[in-house]
Amino acid sequence: MVLQQSSVAGGAGMFPGVAACRPGPRPAAKAPMMAKQEREADDEHEEEQRQAANAEELRRGPWTVDEDLTLINYIADHGEGRWNALARAAGLKRTGKSCRLRWLNYLRPDLKRGDFTADEQLLILDLHSRWGNRWSKIAAHLPGRTDNEIKNYWRTRVQKHAKQLNCDVNSKRFKDAMRFLWMPRLAERAAAQHQHHRQPSPSLTPCIMGMPTAAPSSSSGLMMLDTTVSNSSSSCCSPSSAVTSSSLTSESAHDDGARHAAAAAEPVLTAPADDDYWGAATTMQQQQNDHYDFWSTASALQHLCTAGAADHHFQHQVAADHDLTGWVQGFSDGGILSGSSSDNLWSLDDIWRMQ
DNA sequence: AATTGGCGCAACCGCGACTCC
DNA sequence: GGGAGTCGCGGTTGCGCCAAT
């Protein structure tokens, strides 16, 4: 198979990355060019001349459309791997490393494009809480997404939120915020998306189903959500529970939704004692196997937020339990509360209004 | 209209792990 | 065993875009 520039310039089709995301090649990096000129000017140093020659041979900076096509066509014919040899054989004046990166992060035909879905964001938050900055490991659970993409998402979006809240992204406070505020809202949004499409997320369902289940016990010193309850006809839970959980178990969506709703209605709270809140919780989840799962946590926590909004005593207790009092105040002070943009998942104002 | 500053993201870099001879 | 080459990961950089001023 040989791709021609005209066949991919529009960006559609098998290789959406080619020429689709850049209007044109960007200028090469400045520093190497400067170094090259300096070296060429010095005839007395053979070593430097050799380096200059190497620098001249190897291109750096943004990839051109022609280079993309060369790489794509070569891999289509010969397969990937042995990147240094590949770069030479394909006639690309690039390091094997650069070729590999370009292929894996941009040219691979199975790459997804566009913003992360709520499902994916939720999964990233959850997996990062378990594994930290193990981007490649996290990416392995998000089909079509690259570690680089996820890393960028974390650095730009998540850390931005932490910055807005004036707290460290690794702090307990921020982890609590993710757990109690962001993830429930994402779960809600994911459920809304699923309802709109009337199906669970096809790409993520296997990953979600592979998530460990079980609740941390109250004796662990961690928050416990006791979801071991009888079926209920209550339907007060967030829309996330019924739809998303249908992809988790063989139970009917109705039963599961009712279970989650009941779970949310009778939470048992104990204060977290461990600074590594999520990590410890994850460990506990892996050790135990009660009636608990990730989605029920998210939906139940969302319910806590919404139910708590109507009950000032409850608000106070939750805030006190989780050291959120001053921080919630900080939302107001920082002006975050004032906005109700649907894009701002941190808006407590929205949550309070949902009562 | 011009300037500025923040944001998002592609690409690069350094380093450790792995493989092969 | 060890040295060279290669690969893969996580951190960082730099540039284009765009909204705010």
Side-chain angles (χ1 to χ4, degrees), chain A residues 267-301:
Chain A
V268 179
L269 300 175
T270 58
D274 190 341
D275 198 41
D276 187 10
Y277 192 112
W278 276 16
T282 300
T283 303
M284 293 304 297
Q285 285 181 9
Q286 289 167 343
Q287 290 172 348
Q288 302 185 22
N289 189 26
D290 292 335
H291 304 282
Y292 183 90
D293 58 52
F294 172 77
W295 289 93
S296 67
T297 308
S299 59
L301 286 171

Coordinates of all heavy atoms in Angstrom, one line a residue, chain A residues 267-301:
Chain A
P267 N -25.4 6.3 53.4 CA -24.0 6.1 53.5 C -23.5 6.0 54.9 O -24.1 6.6 55.8 CB -23.5 7.4 52.8 CG -24.6 8.4 53.1 CD -25.9 7.6 53.1
V268 N -22.5 5.3 55.1 CA -21.8 5.3 56.4 C -20.5 5.9 56.3 O -19.6 5.5 55.5 CB -21.6 3.8 56.9 CG1 -20.9 3.8 58.2 CG2 -23.0 3.2 57.0
L269 N -20.3 7.0 56.9 CA -19.0 7.8 56.7 C -18.1 7.7 57.9 O -18.5 7.8 59.1 CB -19.4 9.2 56.5 CG -20.3 9.6 55.3 CD1 -20.6 11.0 55.4 CD2 -19.6 9.2 54.1
T270 N -16.9 7.4 57.6 CA -15.8 7.5 58.6 C -14.7 8.3 58.0 O -14.5 8.3 56.8 CB -15.3 6.2 59.1 OG1 -14.8 5.5 57.9 CG2 -16.4 5.4 59.7
A271 N -14.0 9.0 58.8 CA -13.0 9.9 58.3 C -11.8 9.1 57.8 O -11.4 8.1 58.4 CB -12.5 10.9 59.4
P272 N -11.2 9.5 56.7 CA -10.0 8.9 56.2 C -8.9 9.2 57.1 O -8.7 10.3 57.5 CB -9.8 9.5 54.8 CG -10.5 10.8 54.9 CD -11.7 10.6 55.8
A273 N -8.0 8.2 57.3 CA -6.9 8.4 58.2 C -5.6 8.4 57.4 O -4.6 8.9 57.8 CB -6.8 7.3 59.2
D274 N -5.6 7.9 56.2 CA -4.4 7.7 55.4 C -4.3 8.9 54.4 O -5.2 9.3 53.8 CB -4.5 6.4 54.7 CG -3.2 6.1 54.0 OD1 -2.3 7.0 53.9 OD2 -3.0 4.9 53.7
D275 N -3.2 9.4 54.3 CA -3.0 10.5 53.4 C -3.1 10.0 52.0 O -3.6 10.7 51.1 CB -1.6 11.2 53.6 CG -1.5 12.6 53.0 OD1 -2.5 13.3 53.1 OD2 -0.5 12.9 52.4
D276 N -2.6 8.9 51.8 CA -2.7 8.3 50.4 C -4.1 7.6 50.3 O -4.2 6.4 50.2 CB -1.6 7.2 50.2 CG -1.6 6.7 48.8 OD1 -2.4 7.3 47.9 OD2 -0.9 5.8 48.5
Y277 N -5.0 8.5 50.3 CA -6.4 8.0 50.4 C -6.8 7.0 49.4 O -7.3 5.9 49.7 CB -7.3 9.3 50.3 CG -8.7 9.1 50.7 CD1 -9.2 9.8 51.8 CD2 -9.6 8.4 49.9 CE1 -10.5 9.6 52.1 CE2 -10.9 8.3 50.2 CZ -11.4 8.9 51.3 OH -12.7 8.8 51.7
W278 N -6.6 7.4 48.2 CA -7.1 6.5 47.1 C -6.3 5.3 47.0 O -6.8 4.2 46.7 CB -7.0 7.3 45.8 CG -8.2 8.1 45.5 CD1 -9.1 8.5 46.5 CD2 -8.6 8.7 44.3 NE1 -10.1 9.2 45.9 CE2 -9.8 9.4 44.6 CE3 -8.1 8.7 43.0 CZ2 -10.5 10.1 43.6 CZ3 -8.8 9.4 42.1 CH2 -9.9 10.1 42.3
G279 N -5.0 5.4 47.2 CA -4.1 4.2 47.1 C -4.5 3.2 48.1 O -4.7 2.0 47.8
A280 N -4.8 3.7 49.3 CA -5.2 2.8 50.4 C -6.6 2.2 50.1 O -6.8 1.0 50.3 CB -5.2 3.5 51.7
A281 N -7.4 3.0 49.6 CA -8.8 2.6 49.2 C -8.7 1.5 48.2 O -9.5 0.5 48.2 CB -9.6 3.8 48.8
T282 N -7.9 1.7 47.2 CA -7.7 0.8 46.1 C -7.2 -0.6 46.7 O -7.7 -1.6 46.3 CB -6.7 1.3 45.1 OG1 -7.2 2.5 44.6 CG2 -6.6 0.3 44.0
T283 N -6.3 -0.5 47.6 CA -5.8 -1.7 48.2 C -6.9 -2.5 48.8 O -7.0 -3.7 48.7 CB -4.7 -1.4 49.2 OG1 -3.6 -0.7 48.5 CG2 -4.1 -2.7 49.8
M284 N -7.7 -1.7 49.6 CA -8.8 -2.3 50.3 C -9.8 -2.9 49.3 O -10.3 -4.0 49.5 CB -9.5 -1.3 51.2 CG -8.6 -0.8 52.3 SD -8.1 -2.2 53.4 CE -9.6 -2.8 54.0
Q285 N -10.0 -2.2 48.2 CA -10.9 -2.7 47.3 C -10.5 -4.0 46.7 O -11.2 -4.9 46.4 CB -11.1 -1.7 46.1 CG -11.9 -0.5 46.5 CD -12.1 0.5 45.4 OE1 -11.7 0.1 44.3 NE2 -12.6 1.6 45.7
Q286 N -9.1 -4.1 46.5 CA -8.6 -5.3 45.9 C -8.6 -6.5 46.9 O -8.7 -7.6 46.5 CB -7.2 -5.1 45.4 CG -7.2 -4.1 44.2 CD -5.8 -3.6 43.9 OE1 -4.9 -3.7 44.7 NE2 -5.6 -3.1 42.7
Q287 N -8.6 -6.1 48.2 CA -8.6 -7.2 49.2 C -9.9 -7.7 49.5 O -10.1 -8.8 49.9 CB -7.9 -6.6 50.4 CG -6.4 -6.4 50.3 CD -5.8 -5.7 51.4 OE1 -6.5 -5.2 52.3 NE2 -4.5 -5.7 51.5
Q288 N -10.9 -6.9 49.4 CA -12.3 -7.3 49.7 C -13.1 -7.4 48.5 O -12.8 -6.9 47.4 CB -12.8 -6.3 50.7 CG -12.0 -6.1 52.0 CD -12.6 -5.2 53.0 OE1 -13.8 -5.0 53.0 NE2 -11.8 -4.7 53.9
N289 N -14.3 -7.9 48.7 CA -15.2 -8.1 47.6 C -16.6 -8.0 48.0 O -17.4 -9.0 47.9 CB -14.9 -9.4 46.9 CG -15.6 -9.5 45.5 OD1 -15.9 -8.5 45.0 ND2 -15.9 -10.7 45.1
D290 N -17.0 -6.8 48.5 CA -18.4 -6.6 48.9 C -19.2 -6.1 47.7 O -18.8 -6.2 46.6 CB -18.4 -5.7 50.1 CG -17.8 -6.3 51.3 OD1 -17.8 -7.5 51.4 OD2 -17.3 -5.5 52.1
H291 N -20.4 -5.6 48.1 CA -21.2 -5.1 47.0 C -20.8 -3.7 46.7 O -21.4 -2.7 47.2 CB -22.7 -5.1 47.5 CG -23.1 -6.5 47.9 ND1 -23.4 -7.5 46.9 CD2 -23.2 -7.1 49.1 CE1 -23.7 -8.6 47.6 NE2 -23.6 -8.4 48.9
Y292 N -19.8 -3.5 46.0 CA -19.2 -2.2 45.8 C -18.5 -2.2 44.4 O -17.9 -3.2 44.0 CB -18.2 -1.9 46.9 CG -17.6 -0.6 46.9 CD1 -18.2 0.5 47.5 CD2 -16.4 -0.4 46.2 CE1 -17.6 1.7 47.5 CE2 -15.8 0.9 46.1 CZ -16.4 1.9 46.8 OH -15.8 3.2 46.8
D293 N -18.6 -1.1 43.8 CA -17.8 -1.0 42.6 C -17.5 0.5 42.3 O -18.1 1.4 43.0 CB -18.5 -1.6 41.4 CG -19.8 -1.1 41.1 OD1 -19.9 0.2 41.0 OD2 -20.8 -1.9 41.0
F294 N -16.7 0.7 41.4 CA -16.3 2.1 41.1 C -17.4 3.0 40.8 O -17.6 4.1 41.3 CB -15.3 2.0 39.9 CG -14.9 3.3 39.4 CD1 -14.0 4.1 40.1 CD2 -15.4 3.8 38.3 CE1 -13.6 5.3 39.6 CE2 -15.1 5.1 37.8 CZ -14.2 5.8 38.5
W295 N -18.3 2.5 39.9 CA -19.4 3.3 39.5 C -20.4 3.6 40.6 O -20.9 4.7 40.7 CB -20.1 2.7 38.3 CG -19.3 2.7 37.1 CD1 -18.4 1.7 36.6 CD2 -19.2 3.8 36.2 NE1 -17.8 2.1 35.5 CE2 -18.2 3.4 35.2 CE3 -19.7 5.0 36.1 CZ2 -17.9 4.2 34.1 CZ3 -19.4 5.8 35.0 CH2 -18.5 5.4 34.1
S296 N -20.6 2.6 41.4 CA -21.5 2.9 42.5 C -20.9 3.9 43.4 O -21.6 4.8 44.0 CB -21.9 1.6 43.3 OG -20.7 1.1 43.9
T297 N -19.6 3.9 43.6 CA -19.0 4.9 44.4 C -19.2 6.3 43.8 O -19.6 7.2 44.5 CB -17.5 4.7 44.4 OG1 -17.2 3.3 44.8 CG2 -16.8 5.6 45.4
A298 N -19.0 6.4 42.5 CA -19.1 7.7 41.9 C -20.5 8.2 42.1 O -20.8 9.4 42.4 CB -18.7 7.6 40.5
S299 N -21.5 7.3 41.8 CA -22.9 7.8 41.8 C -23.3 8.1 43.2 O -24.0 9.1 43.5 CB -23.8 6.8 41.2 OG -23.7 5.5 41.9
A300 N -22.9 7.3 44.1 CA -23.2 7.5 45.5 C -22.6 8.8 46.1 O -23.3 9.5 46.8 CB -22.8 6.3 46.4
L301 N -21.4 9.0 45.7 CA -20.8 10.2 46.1 C -21.4 11.5 45.6 O -21.5 12.5 46.2 CB -19.3 10.2 45.8 CG -18.5 9.2 46.6 CD1 -17.1 9.1 46.0 CD2 -18.4 9.7 48.0

